[in-house]
Amino acid sequence: MKENPIAKFQISDTFNITGKGILFTGFVLDGTISLGNYIEFNFLGKILRRKIIGIGGVSSHQLSKINTSLLVESTNEKEIEELKNWKPKNTITLIYLKND
């Protein structure tokens, strides 16, 4: 049985953090995200699930939203390069407590 998501995150952009992984920037739409949670997203027709290894936030001009960055573990350099060049167009993702 698949577990229920604990949060929703909107990915606005992606960046490569050399030697660490990929950074997703965007907004938490619902719930709370913590280190060690997993983000699940549709990337080029595949559902990927990756561990969140870093979280940062910056206030934005929209008082109700905090621009949030999630540092996500990647499986290899090819995946990091593909994700870095991805244009997510405000993709809505789900956040889970653990990986199945």
Side-chain angles (χ1 to χ4, degrees):
M1 183 169 110
K2 188 170 174 123
E3 77 274 23
N4 292 323
I6 60 166
K8 288 183 183 177
F9 183 77
Q10 176 183 315
I11 303 173
S12 300
D13 207 352
T14 63
F15 301 92
N16 177 22
I17 304 297
T18 304
K20 295 197 178 208
I22 196 77
L23 189 72
F24 292 156
T25 62
F27 300 98
V28 177
L29 301 176
D30 185 42
T32 302
I33 300 173
S34 300
L35 289 177
N37 290 160
Y38 285 81
I39 185 168
E40 185 175 277
F41 56 98
N42 187 325
F43 175 67
L44 303 177
K46 298 183 289 189
I47 301 296
L48 300 180
R49 187 181 276 210
R50 299 293 180 261
K51 187 175 185 179
I52 298 169
I53 57 175
I55 301 174
V58 177
S59 295
S60 73
H61 64 281
Q62 298 176 12
L63 296 177
S64 63
K65 291 186 176 181
I66 295 178
N67 192 358
T68 303
S69 58
L70 301 178
L71 182 59
V72 177
E73 253 180 357
S74 294
T75 58
N76 57 56
E77 290 300 318
K78 180 180 180 212
E79 180 179 274
I80 290 172
E81 189 64 28
E82 289 173 344
L83 288 170
K84 179 183 79 168
N85 294 318
W86 179 39
K87 303 296 181 221
K89 298 180 183 169
N90 297 320
T91 296
I92 306 299
T93 67
L94 299 175
I95 308 295
Y96 294 92
L97 284 174
K98 62 181 180 63
N99 196 12
D100 285 339

